[in-house]
Amino acid sequence: MVTIADVARHAGVATSTVSYVLSGKRSISPETRQRVNASVDALGYRPNASARALASNRSNVLALVIPLRADMHVPVLMQFAAAVVTSARRYDHDVLLLTADEGAAGLERIQQSSLVDAVVVMDIELHDERVPLLRGLDLPSMLIGTPLDSDGLTCIDLDFVQAAELCVDHLADLGHQDVALLGTPSAVYERQTAFAHRTLEGFRSAARRRGVHGVETPCEPTHEAVLKTVQELLTQEPGLTGLVVQNEPIIGPLLEVLRRLGRRVPEDMSVLAICADDVAEGQSPRLSSVSIPADEIGGRAVDLLIGKLDGLAPAPTTLVPAVLTARASSGPAPQPDRSTTA
Amino acid sequence: MVTIADVARHAGVATSTVSYVLSGKRSISPETRQRVNASVDALGYRPNASARALASNRSNVLALVIPLRADMHVPVLMQFAAAVVTSARRYDHDVLLLTADEGAAGLERIQQSSLVDAVVVMDIELHDERVPLLRGLDLPSMLIGTPLDSDGLTCIDLDFVQAAELCVDHLADLGHQDVALLGTPSAVYERQTAFAHRTLEGFRSAARRRGVHGVETPCEPTHEAVLKTVQELLTQEPGLTGLVVQNEPIIGPLLEVLRRLGRRVPEDMSVLAICADDVAEGQSPRLSSVSIPADEIGGRAVDLLIGKLDGLAPAPTTLVPAVLTARASSGPAPQPDRSTTA
DNA sequence: TTGAAAGCGCTAACAA
DNA sequence: TTGTTAGCGCTTTCAA
């Protein structure tokens, strides 16, 4: 193993000089810098992470708390996780993976052992039990998701309220009077998961504001559940012409079911999704959607967290504006069928 | 922060005694042990990870290299990852997340900085470019997946050759003469990903051995692709009565397509899947399947890796035996339809 | 602009 | 069975 002393000897300087060249924390003459850098390269030196952490009280490691629940759609979680890792690397940080089932104990363990400098927590509930702990912890933290009481915490998420509003507005603008939110599995609502709850909220208020009739239903991610849910929806709401889906795995089955039931998209039924762009574009017809910019959110979460580590005090909650992209799955509301009533 | 010196003072012993009580590396009198443990609890002491790592040359952190490819089915990856994390925690280790796109550079960085004690690598290809590096690295490593040349490496995986063989045997035993392997997306074969390639191998050899006609086709994970692939298959192989699926996301669409094409499962078409048990049981009809025991494989990977860290030399490659569970989707081959030929 | 040296908190010889 | 102490490799004061 090559140490900082080896480099110092090789370059003919003191170890502190090598350290300062590497950290840039004090000015170094160009010649010295060059000589040191050359030695670093020649010897293939890389600082020992533990020694550095011990001396500087900074591990350059971020913890990522990721849920492993059966009801969560894993690919979306992984997109966030990947964004966090990629972004952390840009700040020369690594990411330690914590599963949410270790819970509060895991966070305390991590903090007390000084294993990580900060923590990113995903899958936040409105009344998340980890929130008080996080508030007390003296580790900087970043929540991806917004609890009801975010006092003293830093949160970031897509503005799901607005996401739902954009969907309802889009449908209302197209003349739809009767719309439904086809949501996440019911367990997600029961836990009061923030993103699902905020979406519901936005859906309801927008429907009220626009004077359209809106109903909501959860849906489990199986083909049978989709079929049953859609059939029930159509029975209870015969005039339904607009659907907002927030449930990635059922998107395929949903389109299939509509086809089978003879509802053309968008002629008979407009479908809007809240999902990743590539998922929306992979369907046929291509889905009008509000995208979930996991890369951006995960990336900014890390940016803000690193900022906190550097002493900045970021705004408590960042809501990333929702953007709706109209594609092929939404169109004007069909004329009410008068042939049977006339 | 409470240090080992605080504990030592509180208990009236030397710091080394505290250290030894905690590590169990030398015998301690019951009274001393008790006194030290009481002080540890009283003060809420937890060893500083960096100091421990620096002094002992062990970080108690494992790296997990996880692929983030579009063609991989993420939920399965996460099952492995979760198993690795859970299992690592049992050995008091944590898990550092590395994305595969950092590649060889990431592994070298991790090693040279002594950030981790060992590494678990997933998503192995037959000619994986990381294999030579891993061989040269002086970090213990564990591959989940089996490259062609695994000399000097430790690998573990489901016995996918046997998995395919079990499927073909099961179908052949039921009288099927004409079977197909509906595989992963073509990119997975093109990369020569080990699990897909091994399955193909087993499928071919078993078909040959049993004298049944076997064809193989990749399949992209979209509803359209499934429909097209199945139609082509049925056109080219009109006598097809058995299907082996190794492609989790298309299982739902596949059953749907078969239904739509008027093929009853299992009366007209037997379907076997190589997938997680809960996925197989979540379908209707419940699928006969060879399960992918991600928990077991991930767990044993860590067991073996910890063993290596403790100086044990494990067998180079562990193939977890495949187990086929017959459920409702496989049955006797239908009698050839003679009504049109007679 | 640079160097010397005191720790950071722990482990593991070495001693008793 | 326990204590003393020399490091582990780095950062950062303090001094020049």
Side-chain angles (χ1 to χ4, degrees):
Chain A
M1 170 183 240
V2 27
T3 73
I4 198 171
D6 298 326
V7 177
R9 206 171 306 120
H10 189 273
V13 297
T15 60
S16 57
T17 301
V18 177
S19 177
Y20 284 120
V21 167
L22 260 31
S23 70
K25 288 190 181 174
R26 80 178 181 193
S27 55
I28 300 282
S29 73
E31 310 87 71
T32 305
R33 185 201 321 288
Q34 214 154 33
R35 208 140 37 83
V36 169
N37 282 327
S39 299
V40 165
D41 291 347
L43 302 179
Y45 169 69
R46 236 192 252 277
N48 177 295
S50 314
R52 170 176 278 188
L54 180 59
S56 67
N57 215 15
R58 286 278 224 118
S59 66
N60 274 33
V61 175
L62 266 29
L64 174 64
V65 184
I66 211 171
L68 294 169
R69 301 176 188 282
D71 56 23
M72 293 297 290
H73 184 58
V74 180
V76 174
L77 294 179
M78 279 301 290
Q79 274 190 277
F80 281 100
V84 167
V85 173
T86 306
S87 199
R89 288 299 310 135
R90 275 205 294 274
Y91 292 103
D92 198 32
H93 279 241
D94 274 288
V95 173
L96 198 80
L97 189 59
L98 292 187
T99 59
D101 55 282
E102 254 205 281
L107 288 173
E108 273 174 340
R109 178 173 65 79
I110 283 309
Q111 171 182 32
Q112 295 184 23
S113 61
S114 301
L115 238 184
V116 305
D117 296 333
V119 49
V120 178
V121 184
M122 297 183 56
D123 188 41
I124 302 296
E125 300 168 9
L126 291 186
H127 304 280
D128 205 296
E129 55 170 15
R130 295 165 301 187
V131 159
L133 179 85
L134 249 18
R135 207 175 267 129
L137 221 60
D138 80 40
L139 268 186
S141 62
M142 187 78 212
L143 315 203
I144 297 186
T146 55
L148 231 35
D149 175 9
S150 63
D151 235 51
L153 295 173
T154 310
C155 313
I156 186 169
D157 209 353
L158 176 64
D159 188 339
F160 281 100
V161 172
Q162 190 202 3
E165 288 174 345
L166 286 179
C167 290
V168 172
D169 278 332
H170 179 70
L171 289 172
D173 289 346
L174 288 166
H176 296 264
Q177 290 296 321
D178 206 339
V179 302
L181 172 66
L182 199 53
T184 66
S186 51
V188 176
Y189 291 108
E190 280 154 19
R191 297 208 322 266
Q192 300 201 278
T193 306
F195 80 92
H197 204 274
R198 305 281 183 197
T199 305
L200 194 53
E201 191 183 313
F203 181 81
R204 285 176 179 162
S205 73
R208 199 177 315 118
R209 171 168 50 74
R210 295 299 299 251
V212 310
H213 180 59
V215 299
E216 316 108 17
T217 175
C219 188
E220 310 308 311
T222 70
H223 196 277
E224 291 72 31
V226 174
L227 179 58
K228 184 156 162 283
T229 304
V230 170
Q231 281 174 330
E232 285 175 5
L233 220 42
L234 291 175
T235 306
Q236 285 162 29
E237 305 289 330
L240 193 73
T241 61
L243 232 35
V244 178
V245 197
Q246 179 178 42
N247 188 332
E248 274 200 27
I250 74 163
I251 289 177
L254 170 66
L255 293 175
E256 171 58 30
V257 159
L258 289 175
R259 215 173 291 134
R260 183 158 22 139
L261 296 178
R263 308 274 172 148
R264 295 163 303 165
V265 175
E267 292 83 354
D268 306 315
M269 183 72 77
S270 282
V271 175
L272 295 182
I274 300 175
C275 70
D277 268 337
D278 57 337
V279 171
E281 295 189 336
Q283 311 297 324
S284 81
R286 292 164 65 243
L287 296 186
S288 299
S289 71
V290 171
S291 71
I292 299 180
D295 283 0
E296 180 191 348
I297 294 174
R300 287 181 60 185
V302 172
D303 294 343
L304 290 168
L305 201 45
I306 296 286
K308 279 177 105 169
L309 283 173
D310 292 345
L312 274 66
T317 289
T318 306
L319 286 184
V320 175
V323 176
L324 187 147
T325 304
R327 299 197 181 83
S329 67
S330 57
Q335 295 303 314
D337 181 3
R338 307 217 175 276
S339 60
T340 55
T341 60
Chain B
M1 170 182 238
V2 28
T3 73
I4 199 171
D6 298 326
V7 177
R9 206 171 308 119
H10 188 274
V13 298
T15 61
S16 59
T17 301
V18 177
S19 177
Y20 285 121
V21 167
L22 261 32
S23 70
K25 288 190 181 172
R26 79 178 182 192
S27 55
I28 301 282
S29 74
E31 309 87 69
T32 305
R33 185 201 321 288
Q34 214 154 32
R35 207 138 38 84
V36 168
N37 281 329
S39 298
V40 165
D41 290 347
L43 302 179
Y45 169 69
R46 237 193 252 278
N48 177 295
S50 314
R52 169 177 280 189
L54 181 57
S56 67
N57 215 14
R58 286 280 224 110
S59 67
N60 274 34
V61 175
L62 267 28
L64 174 64
V65 184
I66 211 171
L68 294 169
R69 300 177 189 280
D71 56 23
M72 292 298 290
H73 184 56
V74 180
V76 174
L77 295 179
M78 279 300 290
Q79 273 188 280
F80 280 100
V84 167
V85 173
T86 305
S87 199
R89 288 299 310 135
R90 276 205 293 274
Y91 292 103
D92 198 32
H93 280 239
D94 274 287
V95 173
L96 198 81
L97 190 58
L98 293 187
T99 59
D101 57 282
E102 254 205 281
L107 288 173
E108 271 172 344
R109 178 172 65 80
I110 282 309
Q111 172 182 33
Q112 294 182 23
S113 61
S114 301
L115 237 185
V116 305
D117 296 332
V119 49
V120 178
V121 183
M122 295 183 57
D123 188 40
I124 302 296
E125 299 168 9
L126 289 186
H127 304 279
D128 204 297
E129 56 170 15
R130 295 165 300 186
V131 160
L133 179 85
L134 251 16
R135 207 174 268 130
L137 220 59
D138 80 41
L139 267 187
S141 63
M142 186 79 213
L143 314 203
I144 297 185
T146 56
L148 268 189
D149 175 9
S150 63
D151 235 51
L153 295 174
T154 311
C155 313
I156 186 169
D157 209 353
L158 176 65
D159 188 340
F160 280 100
V161 173
Q162 190 203 2
E165 288 174 345
L166 286 179
C167 290
V168 172
D169 279 331
H170 179 70
L171 289 171
D173 289 346
L174 287 166
H176 296 264
Q177 289 296 323
D178 206 339
V179 301
L181 172 66
L182 199 52
T184 66
S186 52
V188 176
Y189 291 107
E190 278 154 22
R191 298 208 320 267
Q192 300 202 277
T193 306
F195 79 93
H197 204 274
R198 304 283 183 197
T199 305
L200 194 53
E201 193 182 311
F203 181 82
R204 284 176 178 160
S205 73
R208 198 177 317 116
R209 172 167 50 73
R210 295 299 300 251
V212 310
H213 181 59
V215 299
E216 316 109 16
T217 175
C219 188
E220 309 308 311
T222 70
H223 196 278
E224 291 71 33
V226 174
L227 178 59
K228 186 155 160 284
T229 305
V230 170
Q231 281 175 329
E232 285 175 6
L233 219 42
L234 291 175
T235 306
Q236 287 162 28
E237 304 290 332
L240 193 72
T241 61
L243 232 35
V244 178
V245 197
Q246 179 178 43
N247 189 331
E248 274 200 25
I250 73 163
I251 289 177
L254 170 65
L255 294 175
E256 171 58 31
V257 160
L258 289 174
R259 216 173 289 135
R260 184 158 22 139
L261 295 177
R263 308 273 170 149
R264 294 163 303 165
V265 175
E267 292 82 355
D268 305 317
M269 183 72 77
S270 283
V271 175
L272 296 181
I274 300 176
C275 70
D277 268 336
D278 58 336
V279 172
E281 295 190 335
Q283 311 298 323
S284 80
R286 294 164 64 240
L287 257 38
S288 300
S289 71
V290 171
S291 70
I292 299 180
D295 283 0
E296 179 190 349
I297 294 173
R300 286 181 61 183
V302 172
D303 294 342
L304 290 168
L305 200 45
I306 297 286
K308 278 176 105 168
L309 283 173
D310 292 345
L312 275 64
T317 289
T318 306
L319 286 184
V320 175
V323 175
L324 186 146
T325 304
R327 298 197 183 84
S329 67
S330 56
Q335 294 303 314
D337 182 3
R338 308 215 174 276
S339 59
T340 55
T341 59

